[in-house]
Amino acid sequence: LDFSNINSPKVIGSYYRHLKVFNFNIYKNFAILALDNMGVEVVDISNYQDISLVSRKNYNDVHVNNVAIYQNYLYASCGVYGLKIIPYKVPLEAFNSSGYAQNYLTDNEVNKVLVHDHYAILANDADGIMIMDLSLPEHPAPVQNVETSGKAMDILIRNNSLYVATTKGIEVYDISNLTNIYKIEQYSDNSRKFQKLVVHGDYLYATYKSGWWFWKKYGMMIFAVE
């Protein structure tokens, strides 16, 4: 979408799939799509008028929440199926397969994975946050587990702070030392289950859901962050 005229956005390109695209990550001239029940797909977006398939990794009945990149590896958070690590040949831009994907099973659902420096940070639902050393990219090693007040649903990094959306509020951690992160701030709210986070400028936007059955409500809260 072209938003140069905010009152009249225009479609400048599209790539249609018969599957749900649940999330995506942009890498140079490529979009890496996290598919619902069908793995990951890489498309070339250098020409918006002709977006084309580059490669695909099928995982039947496996839901992919999001994807992250480290060196020549793609990390996919797959809920109850843990973390899938997909190796590619050099250069990464070709997205040519290099061997078989590795699986790392966690004790709980992996809702999101982020790569920061040489570490992976996982939002592990009821198990909170996991920090993993990527010195051996295909065999990540846990270095710290942090219990959150609610289920860890989404994570976001801003400077040296990690923001965590949980089902009982929003928590902020100092990650200047990823082998020893610690909580520096918390907003508690037992009436809202926070789902997704976005930061823009000095504001943090957090979507949430509340209530049950026919009384469910959905919304967004905005926080000022320094």
Side-chain angles (χ1 to χ4, degrees), residues 156-173:
L156 179 152
I157 295 173
R158 180 179 184 265
N159 300 325
N160 281 323
S161 296
L162 176 72
Y163 293 82
V164 184
T166 80
T167 52
K168 292 186 178 180
I170 295 174
E171 301 179 8
V172 187
Y173 292 82

Side-chain angles (χ1 to χ4, degrees), residues 1 3-4 16 21 40-41 52 70 76-77 82 96 162 172 178 180 218:
L1 296 175
F3 283 99
S4 55
Y16 183 76
V21 179
V40 299
E41 195 165 281
S52 57
Y70 177 70
S77 60
N96 289 325
L162 176 72
V172 187
L178 277 167
N180 185 28
Y218 302 87

Side-chain angles (χ1 to χ4, degrees), residues 13-82:
S14 62
Y15 176 77
Y16 183 76
R17 295 294 283 123
H18 294 282
L19 304 167
K20 294 178 181 178
V21 179
F22 191 78
N23 214 323
F24 67 92
N25 196 341
I26 300 296
Y27 176 79
K28 296 187 177 180
N29 291 322
F30 302 90
I32 305 167
L33 312 180
L35 303 178
D36 184 26
N37 296 326
M38 281 298 290
V40 299
E41 195 165 281
V42 181
V43 296
D44 186 339
I45 57 173
S46 56
N47 179 0
Y48 294 141
Q49 301 300 315
D50 185 26
I51 299 174
S52 57
L53 174 68
V54 175
S55 68
R56 178 186 299 140
K57 289 290 183 182
N58 290 333
Y59 298 120
N60 292 334
D61 299 324
V62 174
H63 174 82
V64 180
N65 287 312
N66 86 301
V67 291
I69 293 173
Y70 177 70
Q71 296 180 1
N72 274 64
Y73 296 87
L74 187 67
Y75 292 79
S77 60
C78 300
V80 296
Y81 295 93

Side-chain angles (χ1 to χ4, degrees), residues 82 104 120 167 187 203-204 208-209 214-215 221:
Y104 184 91
T167 52
Y187 170 79
Y203 296 94
L204 177 74
Y208 67 84
K209 62 180 179 181
F214 300 108
W215 298 274
M221 292 186 71

Side-chain angles (χ1 to χ4, degrees), residues 69-162:
I69 293 173
Y70 177 70
Q71 296 180 1
N72 274 64
Y73 296 87
L74 187 67
Y75 292 79
S77 60
C78 300
V80 296
Y81 295 93
L83 196 66
K84 289 190 177 291
I85 306 163
I86 305 168
Y88 291 101
K89 295 178 182 178
V90 178
L92 177 60
E93 292 91 311
F95 288 101
N96 289 325
S97 180
S98 174
Y100 296 99
Q102 300 291 327
N103 297 318
Y104 184 91
L105 294 178
T106 57
D107 292 332
N108 222 304
E109 297 183 37
V110 183
N111 292 320
K112 189 169 185 178
V113 56
L114 287 179
V115 170
H116 186 66
D117 292 335
H118 302 294
Y119 295 87
I121 307 173
L122 277 59
N124 274 356
D125 206 74
D127 278 351
I129 306 164
M130 177 186 286
I131 311 297
M132 308 184 76
D133 186 343
L134 300 181
S135 297
L136 297 175
E138 294 189 45
H139 304 282
V143 295
Q144 187 179 6
N145 288 283
V146 179
E147 184 178 347
T148 52
S149 58
K151 295 181 179 180
M153 304 302 296
D154 193 20
I155 48 179
L156 179 152
I157 295 173
R158 180 179 184 265
N159 300 325
N160 281 323
S161 296
L162 176 72

